[in-house]
Amino acid sequence: MSSDLQDQDYTDQLEHEDELWNPGHRACAGCGPALAMKYITEAAGENTIVANATGCMEVISTPYPESSWGTSYIHNIFENAASVAAGVEAAYQAFDRRDPDHLDVQDEDDVNIIAIGGDGATADIGFRALSGMMERGHDVLYIMYDNEAYMNTGVQRSSQTPFGAETTTSPAGKESIGNDTNKKDMASIAADHGVPYVATASISNPHDFKQKVEKALEIDGPKFLHVYAPCPVGWGFDSAKTVELAEMAVKTGLFPVFEMEDGEITSVNKIRDREPIDEWLEPQGRFKHLFKDEEKGEAAIEELQEWIDKRAEDLGLDA
């Protein structure tokens, strides 16, 4: 039996005219990265050029001849979003030299140039291009949305996949606990390139994420933002729990939220009474093997917890 609320038609109350990340894309229900795209466009605004690496957000947003993007948009292959964005920025620098009064072409300072890639396209396949973009000092904001595996191609592990997670290339079994590495520290790697502004954020806190996008775009030179964005399909959880799991990752310390400016940590989202990591692991299908084999599972969870605790200590995460 349907309720009065279910029977009511709300379609005339939904307004999307001013949105730059438009509805109608093919993202799965509960897609964390799709929320990240919405927040990025809301913060950056219309005068933005997006260079997007191959991945979930490209596949679901630009099936020819359609596009969900209200900004200028360039689709790139997996490995070169950073290079393409750097090329766009270099072109605008050349325009500025040829047309200093900006009679024909807009001033580069008035255009937001953003490269976007998933964790695989950023920390693995596209890392060389990203390193070059940062090292050369291009005025580009690079945003890595982190759903902790190659979801678009069949849930293969990436260097952002957490310890103990089962993926199609890190299957759990008698001889394997699943993925046997911890998440690559991309924030520190970016900072070591001399990037003036590096930050982490979560889709569970849109206000904080959008503030960091806006702040990054005000800074000259390369910027790097790492945003945490759960994937219900690849992680195996109820799609209604996306934001909740993103928030739990922050509260456990698995995904610390902080800012670095000129290589120094300037802001940390402190946590009072960090929650144990097993409360975040248990609702996810990719960790279910850790709770079936008590002995192996407990040892793996303990190892992951030790890694989190060490990182929390290094960052001064505990309030």
Side-chain angles (χ1 to χ4, degrees):
M1 181 182 294
S2 62
S3 68
D4 291 342
L5 286 175
Q6 287 174 321
D7 290 338
Q8 192 165 338
D9 183 1
Y10 292 96
T11 53
D12 62 345
Q13 299 177 30
L14 300 175
E15 294 287 346
H16 299 291
E17 288 184 2
D18 297 328
E19 293 188 15
L20 299 172
W21 173 251
N22 291 293
H25 53 68
R26 274 76 163 170
C28 306
C31 176
L35 283 175
M37 299 306 109
K38 174 179 171 61
Y39 301 145
I40 291 168
T41 53
E42 287 177 350
E46 189 174 12
N47 204 19
T48 298
I49 299 172
V50 172
N52 185 195
T54 291
C56 288
M57 290 304 96
E58 169 264 322
V59 171
I60 61 97
S61 70
T62 55
Y64 180 82
E66 302 166 3
S67 175
S68 292
W69 297 87
T71 64
S72 297
Y73 177 88
I74 308 170
H75 166 223
N76 312 275
I77 55 175
F78 249 126
E79 62 267 37
N80 73 348
S83 297
V84 170
V88 171
E89 188 264 355
Y92 268 91
Q93 295 284 358
F95 295 152
D96 285 353
R97 291 193 294 272
R98 294 179 186 178
D99 181 17
D101 295 326
H102 305 294
L103 299 176
D104 297 321
V105 181
Q106 202 164 26
D107 188 338
E108 187 267 336
D109 289 338
D110 296 331
V111 180
N112 301 318
I113 302 172
I114 301 177
I116 299 173
D119 46 292
T122 303
D124 301 344
I125 299 174
F127 183 74
R128 180 170 60 180
L130 173 63
S131 178
M133 184 210 86
M134 295 189 296
E135 182 265 334
R136 293 190 300 272
H138 290 280
D139 188 15
V140 172
L141 167 59
Y142 193 102
I143 301 176
M144 176 176 78
Y145 65 88
D146 182 6
N147 57 13
E148 300 191 325
Y150 291 82
M151 301 308 180
N152 175 50
T153 54
V155 196
Q156 295 89 3
R157 74 163 293 280
S158 78
S159 58
Q160 291 300 313
T161 302
F163 183 84
E166 181 173 43
T167 71
T168 52
T169 51
S170 60
K174 288 183 179 178
E175 304 298 329
S176 170
I177 198 65
N179 184 53
D180 60 0
T181 59
N182 286 303
K183 292 169 74 68
K184 185 189 288 184
D185 185 356
M186 286 298 295
S188 294
I189 292 170
D192 282 346
H193 279 72
V195 171
Y197 182 72
V198 175
T200 65
S202 168
I203 56 101
S204 63
N205 189 341
H207 181 69
D208 175 72
F209 179 35
K210 290 197 285 187
Q211 274 194 330
K212 286 171 177 170
V213 173
E214 292 171 356
K215 181 176 179 177
L217 291 172
E218 292 296 318
I219 296 171
D220 290 332
K223 289 79 62 174
F224 182 81
L225 243 171
H226 180 174
V227 60
Y228 199 66
C231 169
V233 176
W235 296 16
F237 65 84
D238 183 342
S239 59
K241 304 288 186 183
T242 300
V243 173
E244 183 180 321
L245 275 173
E247 187 176 18
M248 285 176 69
V250 174
K251 288 182 175 178
T252 60
L254 176 79
F255 190 82
V257 174
F258 59 92
E259 292 178 289
M260 300 177 77
E261 296 180 57
D262 298 321
E264 301 292 330
I265 294 174
T266 54
S267 171
V268 177
N269 184 0
K270 298 272 188 181
I271 301 170
R272 188 178 300 280
D273 301 326
R274 266 188 299 122
E275 295 176 3
I277 192 60
D278 52 352
E279 293 184 13
W280 178 78
L281 300 172
E282 199 159 10
Q284 302 181 53
R286 60 180 176 160
F287 296 111
K288 62 183 180 184
H289 56 284
L290 300 181
F291 298 93
K292 286 182 178 176
D293 185 329
E294 193 169 314
E295 186 176 345
K296 282 176 63 178
E298 282 185 2
I301 293 170
E302 186 177 342
E303 185 170 340
L304 177 58
Q305 186 67 63
E306 287 175 358
W307 178 79
I308 293 169
D309 292 345
K310 173 68 169 57
R311 193 129 191 269
E313 183 179 347
D314 292 344
L315 289 168
L317 195 60
D318 294 319

